[in-house]
Structure formats: C-alpha cells, structure tokens
Amino acid sequence: MAQLKEKVSGQDLQQDHFGFFNRPLFRGADKFLRPAEKPVRISVPLRFNEGEQANAFDQPLAKTDRILDVTLRDGKANGVRCDSVTFTPHCNTTHTESIGHISKDAVSISDVMAGIEDTLHQALLISVRPVAYDTTNDTYKHAKHGDYLITRYGIENAMRSIRGEFPTTQAIIIRCDHLNYLETPFNRFDNPPYFSFEAMQFLVDCGYKHLLTNLPSIDRASDEGELLNHVSFFRMPANRDASGINVAEHKVTNTELCFIPREIQDGHYFLRLGVLHNWNLDAAPAAPLLFPVEEISKEELRRMTSLL
C-alpha cells in the first residue's frame, strides 16, 4: 500500500490510497475508516436582500446592489447581471478567523490556511448546554449577572459520553445546546452565551488547533475589546504581537456562527473547514463540511483489495 502522509491531520491514523477508491482510507490500530460519501453542511446560508439573516453585534445586514442588468431587445436577453456585494464575514455568515483577527500585525487568513485548505481533519462534535454565570465557579473577566457560559465541566461531561473512533483529534466542534442556536441559523444574538476562561484553557491544554461553534463569538460580545479567549486559543502573547509567530506553522483557526441542527448527532467526524481561498483579510467566509465516519473491517478490505 502506498502511504500518503499529507492531507490528514492528527498522528493516530494513517492514510492509505487505492486507485479504485473515490474516498481516502485511514488505518487505525485495528480497523480502517473512511469519510462517508455525502457530507453535511454546518454553515449559515448567506441570503442577500431577502428573508432572515444572521446579524451578530447589531451590524448592517448583507446586501447586493445591481450595477448592471440584463436588457431585453426584440424579446431576447442581452447584456449581463452584475451585483456589488456588501457584507461583514464576522457578523453575517459562518466565518473562519485566526491570529490576524486580534494581532497588532496584519495576518491574512489565507496565509494561515495555506497547505491545509483541503485537509480532512479528525473532528469531535459535542453539545454543551450553557449555564448561568452566577451558578458556576468558572470565570470570565467581564462576566455579568444574566450571562450564560460554556464551562469546562460542560465540555468534559459531553466528551465522556462519546465513545469514538479517534484516539485524539485536532478539531473540535462545540454546539451550544440552546434553542436559539439549534432551531434556526438566523438570530439577533442579544447577549449570547460565550466560553469561560477555564473552558478555553482546557481546549488549549487538549491540543485542539481548530475550534468551531454555532455561537457568534467565543468571547463575550462586550468585553472592552480584550477578547482573552481568542488570545488564549490562538496561543498569542498578551500584547498581541504576532511578529514572533511563524505563520506558516501556526495553523490555528476559530470558526464561528456555524449552524449545527440538532439532527446531526454528537460524535466523531471527518471535517473539511471549507474556508474561501485567497481571502486576504483577517477572516473569510466558510462552509464547513462534516463527513460521517464509515468503518471497514479488515475482512471486508481483503475482499475489496482482492478485486485489484
């Protein structure tokens, strides 16, 4: 078997390639795994000028302006349609960001994503119910009465219920288990839940490099601009100076405003981040794809390879 070392994150599975397979195959300790043929999207649809939209942080809605239009001559269409688009990735749709979102220095999300755009990541999806700030020992510098937090205990408790195929993962998807974030991708996000300091440090200690959530931000919506959870997860110095960070090796991302319907079950998946390529800004629109995991027994694999 010709072994391919690229295009799969993590060290616990190894990818093997067979010419007649349309999907990559990954070898674990005692079984073979592959992504299902049909993935599921966990992104918010971006609807311009129609219906409901995501609208985090009370920013303007996404819109288009028609600058050229099809004209009719003798009953036939001539010319073209051409729209000018205005939207804010952080507020209007699912988006992926990295150190450039909070660093003093400009860092493009495209530079961070270079080389991993099409990587299949081993990913864990868990659902965590937020709890009232006043009822937990977890902390957040700017937390106030009435706030709700995703806590370390909530994350650990959700993890304990998962028996999975992957010994470790580099990507974690945390679904805020609250009606406003499960039933519809379109919310006004009035003081949404966010992660506690302890929860975020736990994710860092676990070694996760890619965090995805259906919340509009991993930090409190109003925290005097400190964004300490972002600083923590991005492994940034407190002064936000990214000059000493090797961007080519600093493949750490945070994807917010996902839409993860309740029918998608917690568990292990293969994940493709689906970040828009060549986006020279701090964040880019994203359309993450979750691939359910299919197990192939060694016996079945022998029967398949006998056809070669």
Side-chain angles (χ1 to χ4, degrees):
M1 300 178 185
Q3 295 176 350
L4 300 181
K5 297 181 180 179
E6 297 82 20
K7 299 303 182 186
V8 59
S9 68
Q11 302 300 318
D12 300 286
L13 298 179
Q14 196 168 34
Q15 182 178 355
D16 291 283
H17 175 69
F18 299 86
F20 66 94
F21 285 134
N22 292 323
R23 288 166 281 162
L25 191 67
F26 302 93
R27 184 171 55 189
D30 58 355
K31 56 188 173 183
F32 287 81
L33 307 170
R34 69 181 176 187
E37 189 171 4
K38 294 183 179 180
V40 292
R41 294 187 181 274
I42 56 169
S43 55
V44 171
L46 183 53
R47 298 175 176 175
F48 293 96
N49 301 338
E50 63 177 64
E52 291 186 289
Q53 291 185 17
N55 181 26
F57 314 117
D58 198 29
Q59 294 301 301
L61 296 177
K63 67 175 183 177
T64 60
D65 294 303
R66 184 64 51 81
I67 59 176
L68 292 176
D69 209 340
V70 172
T71 59
L72 293 176
R73 182 179 301 168
D74 299 327
K76 297 180 179 180
N78 294 275
V80 296
R81 289 187 176 89
C82 181
D83 290 332
S84 175
V85 177
T86 303
F87 76 103
T88 306
H90 289 282
C91 305
N92 300 137
T93 190
T94 307
H95 59 278
T96 297
E97 58 196 30
S98 66
I99 56 174
H101 180 46
I102 60 171
S103 64
K104 294 179 180 178
D105 316 290
V107 178
S108 169
I109 183 63
S110 294
D111 291 339
V112 173
M113 292 300 301
I116 64 169
E117 299 96 333
D118 299 317
T119 296
L120 280 177
H121 301 279
Q122 303 163 31
L124 174 66
L125 167 62
I126 59 173
S127 297
V128 181
R129 180 158 296 180
V131 299
Y133 166 65
D134 297 331
T135 66
T136 177
N137 291 325
D138 275 22
T139 61
Y140 190 91
K141 183 177 177 181
H142 301 282
K144 296 182 179 180
H145 174 75
D147 288 0
Y148 278 78
L149 301 180
I150 299 291
T151 63
R152 172 171 179 161
Y153 173 80
I155 293 174
E156 288 186 289
N157 192 49
M159 286 179 168
R160 292 189 192 100
S161 66
I162 304 296
R163 296 293 180 267
E165 292 85 352
F166 303 145
T168 61
T169 65
Q170 287 193 345
I172 186 165
I173 306 151
I174 298 181
R175 169 171 46 192
C176 176
D177 187 8
H178 189 278
L179 289 179
N180 287 346
Y181 300 92
L182 294 176
E183 302 300 334
T184 173
F186 308 113
N187 298 281
R188 292 296 176 254
F189 306 113
D190 183 20
N191 193 28
Y194 53 92
F195 288 74
S196 72
F197 289 153
E198 290 78 7
M200 194 55 56
Q201 188 58 54
F202 174 70
L203 297 177
V204 173
D205 292 342
C206 288
Y208 290 110
K209 297 295 183 66
H210 305 287
L211 169 61
L212 298 87
T213 179
N214 54 346
L215 294 172
S217 178
I218 59 177
D219 276 294
R220 193 176 194 273
S222 177
D223 69 344
E224 300 182 10
E226 292 198 52
L227 282 81
L228 294 179
N229 280 337
H230 284 78
V231 172
S232 176
F233 189 75
F234 290 149
R235 285 74 162 172
M236 287 282 289
N239 64 2
R240 303 195 190 182
D241 184 357
S243 59
I245 294 177
N246 185 339
V247 176
E249 297 178 356
H250 199 77
K251 306 297 186 181
V252 181
T253 68
N254 172 41
T255 302
E256 298 165 333
L257 266 181
C258 295
F259 176 54
I260 314 165
R262 65 168 68 250
E263 56 264 26
I264 302 176
Q265 297 183 355
D266 288 10
H268 292 269
Y269 293 84
F270 288 104
L271 165 73
R272 180 167 288 138
L273 286 170
V275 180
L276 188 64
H277 293 196
N278 301 319
W279 196 267
N280 192 27
L281 291 174
D282 70 290
L289 295 175
L290 286 185
F291 295 81
V293 176
E294 293 181 351
E295 180 178 343
I296 302 177
S297 67
K298 290 184 178 180
E299 291 72 20
E300 182 181 357
L301 184 66
R302 291 192 187 98
R303 291 195 297 269
M304 295 169 67
T305 54
S306 67
L307 300 175
L308 288 176

